[in-house]
Amino acid sequence: MGYVFMDSSAVNASHLRAFIERIEKLEEEKRAIADDIKDVYSEAKGTGFDVKIIRKIVSLRRMDRDKRREEEEILDLYLSALGMAD
Amino acid sequence: MGYVFMDSSAVNASHLRAFIERIEKLEEEKRAIADDIKDVYSEAKGTGFDVKIIRKIVSLRRMDRDKRREEEEILDLYLSALGMAD
Amino acid sequence: MGYVFMDSSAVNASHLRAFIERIEKLEEEKRAIADDIKDVYSEAKGTGFDVKIIRKIVSLRRMDRDKRREEEEILDLYLSALGMAD
Amino acid sequence: MGYVFMDSSAVNASHLRAFIERIEKLEEEKRAIADDIKDVYSEAKGTGFDVKIIRKIVSLRRMDRDKRREEEEILDLYLSALGMAD
DNA sequence: TCAGATAAAATCGCGC
DNA sequence: GCGCGATTTTATCTGA
């Protein structure tokens, strides 16, 4: 703000503003990517694919990934419980 | 309400009240079951089981069920797309 | 399991299985009630009510109840402190 | 795939695969940004800010933006109706 | 444009 | 008290 001496409210306000700007910038980027995803679905649809099926495939592949990760986590839990954790 | 002739606001209010009471009753039941679930976890913990592991097992089994259901759904989608739906 | 003598792992496994089954049964019941609640909202909607508003009413009433309960608890604390608890 | 002559199924499969990969890549990026946002909130919290309040501010500012944009759109409509659109 | 489904954000509640 | 997972509420999207 150009002032050398600022009371703590001003510092706070300035910090707060910075946080908010970073968040809003990131949210804007996120929204842009969401739009890109929508575009890809549209393009796929325009090429004759069934969007519903593609969504389901993507969803199933995500579930596979999630399940695999959860299985690794529970393995770690088991090993910990057995005192064999790395 | 005991009145034979009610204007539509009264009818509305009465209906609204009935809906709200049904919802609140159901939510109370739901809360009671959530408490029961908590009790089972506590009991398991008291028997020496690791709650975290049980939660993970329950979660994995739920994922299995979900995945199986999604796979059936996508199969239906494929069959529909091929004009072979039942 | 039909065996008279089981080692502790088997006992453990059997207990664990029982806990998991109880939890899953309760979770299923909870889910069923959640569905019922959704149905009531749908029915209300079909009767011309605004679901969003009903949700808000239910939420406000829940807050009121919680507030009242908390006030009663504070009153109990006061009474206890005064040696006048029931 | 290295083949000059592919039947249409292979072409389809290849196209489908490409769409799915693009979607998954974008979803991964989106998730990464969501994580970044969470990190900023955490950082703000660590600096002593109330996350709930920051969320509310961000939300209000978003509403303002939407409202402003909507008002501009309405203004454009008016101008169009008057044959004064840019 | 609306309902119904899907996904995201915010909130709640638990265990550590 | 804080992260983390579950739940709930809100917003978005798609197909009719």
Side-chain angles (χ1 to χ4, degrees):
Chain A
M1 283 181 158
Y3 294 105
V4 175
F5 303 105
M6 289 187 292
D7 66 10
S8 65
S9 304
V11 174
N12 260 346
S14 159
H15 279 174
L16 178 58
R17 185 176 301 273
F19 280 128
I20 288 172
E21 277 166 10
R22 283 169 64 193
I23 290 165
E24 287 180 343
K25 187 169 172 304
L26 287 167
E27 289 197 341
E28 170 57 28
E29 290 176 25
K30 190 151 76 85
R31 211 189 49 71
I33 291 180
D35 286 347
D36 288 347
I37 292 173
K38 228 183 299 176
D39 289 345
V40 177
Y41 276 113
S42 294
E43 192 186 334
K45 183 176 191 168
T47 318
F49 286 105
D50 183 328
V51 169
K52 210 166 173 186
I53 288 180
I54 299 186
R55 282 192 192 280
K56 201 54 108 182
I57 293 172
V58 170
S59 157
L60 275 170
R61 284 166 58 95
R62 181 168 38 225
M63 285 175 94
D64 283 344
R65 277 192 299 276
D66 291 350
K67 196 160 174 300
R68 209 170 310 128
R69 202 187 46 239
E70 285 242 333
E71 278 164 358
E72 282 166 15
E73 284 173 14
I74 204 175
L75 177 57
D76 288 344
L77 282 178
Y78 285 147
L79 293 178
S80 292
L82 295 172
M84 300 169 64
D86 51 313
Chain B
M1 282 180 157
Y3 293 106
V4 175
F5 302 106
M6 290 187 293
D7 65 10
S8 66
S9 305
V11 174
N12 260 346
S14 159
H15 280 175
L16 178 58
R17 185 176 302 273
F19 281 128
I20 288 172
E21 277 166 10
R22 283 169 65 194
I23 289 165
E24 288 180 343
K25 189 170 171 303
L26 287 168
E27 289 197 341
E28 170 59 28
E29 290 175 25
K30 189 151 77 85
R31 211 190 48 71
I33 291 179
D35 286 347
D36 288 348
I37 292 172
K38 226 186 298 175
D39 289 345
V40 177
Y41 276 113
S42 293
E43 193 186 333
K45 184 177 191 168
T47 319
F49 285 106
D50 183 327
V51 169
K52 210 167 171 182
I53 288 180
I54 299 187
R55 281 191 192 282
K56 200 56 107 183
I57 293 172
V58 170
S59 155
L60 275 170
R61 285 167 58 95
R62 183 169 35 225
M63 287 176 89
D64 282 344
R65 276 192 301 275
D66 291 349
K67 196 160 172 299
R68 207 169 312 127
R69 204 188 41 242
E70 285 241 334
E71 278 164 356
E72 282 166 14
E73 285 173 12
I74 203 174
L75 176 58
D76 287 344
L77 282 178
Y78 285 148
L79 293 178
S80 292
L82 295 172
M84 302 170 63
D86 49 312
Chain C
M1 285 178 154
Y3 293 106
V4 176
F5 303 106
M6 289 188 292
D7 65 11
S8 65
S9 304
V11 174
N12 261 346
S14 160
H15 280 173
L16 178 58
R17 185 176 302 272
F19 281 127
I20 288 172
E21 276 168 11
R22 283 170 64 194
I23 290 165
E24 287 181 342
K25 189 170 170 303
L26 288 168
E27 289 196 342
E28 170 57 28
E29 290 176 24
K30 189 151 77 85
R31 209 190 50 70
I33 292 180
D35 286 348
D36 288 347
I37 292 174
K38 239 183 275 181
D39 288 345
V40 177
Y41 277 113
S42 293
E43 194 186 330
K45 181 176 195 170
T47 319
F49 287 106
D50 183 326
V51 168
K52 208 169 171 182
I53 290 179
I54 299 187
R55 280 189 194 283
K56 187 53 89 179
I57 293 173
V58 170
S59 153
L60 286 173
R61 284 165 60 94
R62 183 167 38 225
M63 287 171 79
D64 283 346
R65 264 196 308 281
D66 291 350
K67 195 161 167 293
R68 206 171 315 127
R69 195 163 42 75
E70 199 172 326
E71 281 164 0
E72 282 166 11
E73 283 167 5
I74 289 174
L75 177 58
D76 287 345
L77 276 179
Y78 285 155
L79 293 178
S80 290
L82 295 171
M84 301 170 64
D86 51 313
Chain D
M1 284 179 159
Y3 294 103
V4 175
F5 303 106
M6 289 186 293
D7 65 13
S8 64
S9 305
V11 173
N12 261 345
S14 160
H15 280 173
L16 177 58
R17 184 175 303 271
F19 281 128
I20 288 172
E21 276 167 10
R22 283 169 65 195
I23 290 165
E24 286 181 342
K25 188 169 171 305
L26 288 168
E27 289 197 342
E28 170 58 28
E29 290 175 25
K30 189 152 74 87
R31 210 192 49 72
I33 292 180
D35 285 348
D36 289 346
I37 292 173
K38 240 184 276 182
D39 288 346
V40 177
Y41 277 114
S42 293
E43 194 186 332
K45 180 176 194 168
T47 320
F49 286 105
D50 184 327
V51 169
K52 208 171 170 179
I53 290 178
I54 299 186
R55 279 189 194 284
K56 187 53 89 178
I57 294 172
V58 170
S59 154
L60 286 173
R61 284 166 58 95
R62 182 165 39 220
M63 286 171 78
D64 284 345
R65 262 194 310 280
D66 291 349
K67 197 161 165 293
R68 206 172 314 128
R69 192 161 43 73
E70 199 172 325
E71 281 164 359
E72 283 166 11
E73 284 168 5
I74 289 175
L75 177 58
D76 286 346
L77 275 180
Y78 285 156
L79 293 178
S80 291
L82 295 171
M84 302 170 65
D86 52 312

